[in-house]
Amino acid sequence: MAQTPNEIDLVRKAQRSAYAITSATNGCPKVDEDVRGWPKYLIRRCEYRQGNLTGLVYLAEVPAKTVAAWISRTCARKMPEVASCFGTVLRCGQLNSGYMFPVAGNIIEDGRNFFFRNGMTVNLGDGTHASRRPIPLKLQEELAQRGDAQILSIPSGLTRYWRSRPHQVAVLFPDKRAPEAVNTAEQRALWLRIARDEFLSAARGRENRLLEAYVAVHRDVLARGQCPL
């Protein structure tokens, strides 16, 4: 489905809220090697400041045209009669993620350090989760490189850009065999893999099934122009 220049421009403006990029101190260069199953051409390594804290994060970069296609296609499929769908879904993504998809690393929110993996907040069990203290960049790099098996929990199970949950994907796309929850190591590993694979598939120009699951579940709220909590 073709995107209008206005839709692409709106996404481009929303992407400017990605403060890990706009406040970067290193220019957010592309990486030289793949990162945890993510192709290097898609990944930028950002060092940035928020208040008195410094963060290091690997972000997936998706062109505005592709994000506009995700939203436009999903609205056409799930909410064709709601003219405000594109604007509402766009705004919800901005409010939830600032259009940052953290592959690995630290996203500082409200003066706290939150480490991410495949778009989800994770707890690595070392006291850094939601901490307010400065963390040396060397340690942040080490945490970003830790294996998925060392993740003790995924506190919310939500993956970005939007607030997509595993059970939503499980209901709408049973072929994915997504877990209903992320309480065990096996469930966490499966959901991390699905989130990565679905995002990569969408970034190659296919439908964004994470977004479709989110819109399908929250259709009534989005139709009222509101963003689900």
Side-chain angles (χ1 to χ4, degrees), residues 17 22-24 37 53-54 63 91 102-104 139 143 147 170 180 182 191 216 219 221-222:
S17 60
T22 58
S23 64
L53 296 179
T54 298
R91 178 167 51 85
V103 167
L139 176 57
L143 293 171
E180 289 289 334
V182 286
W191 182 228
R219 186 182 182 283
V221 175
L222 294 166

Side-chain angles (χ1 to χ4, degrees), residues 182-200:
V182 286
N183 298 325
T184 68
E186 292 77 14
Q187 289 173 329
R188 291 191 289 273
L190 177 58
W191 182 228
L192 285 165
R193 179 179 59 77
I194 289 173
R196 182 195 64 203
D197 293 350
E198 287 297 319
F199 194 94
L200 287 175

Side-chain angles (χ1 to χ4, degrees), residues 161-183:
Y161 295 129
W162 295 271
R163 298 171 62 86
S164 307
R165 297 179 184 273
H167 73 267
Q168 296 167 355
V169 175
V171 170
L172 195 62
F173 301 107
D175 63 297
K176 294 303 299 182
R177 301 185 183 278
E180 289 289 334
V182 286
N183 298 325

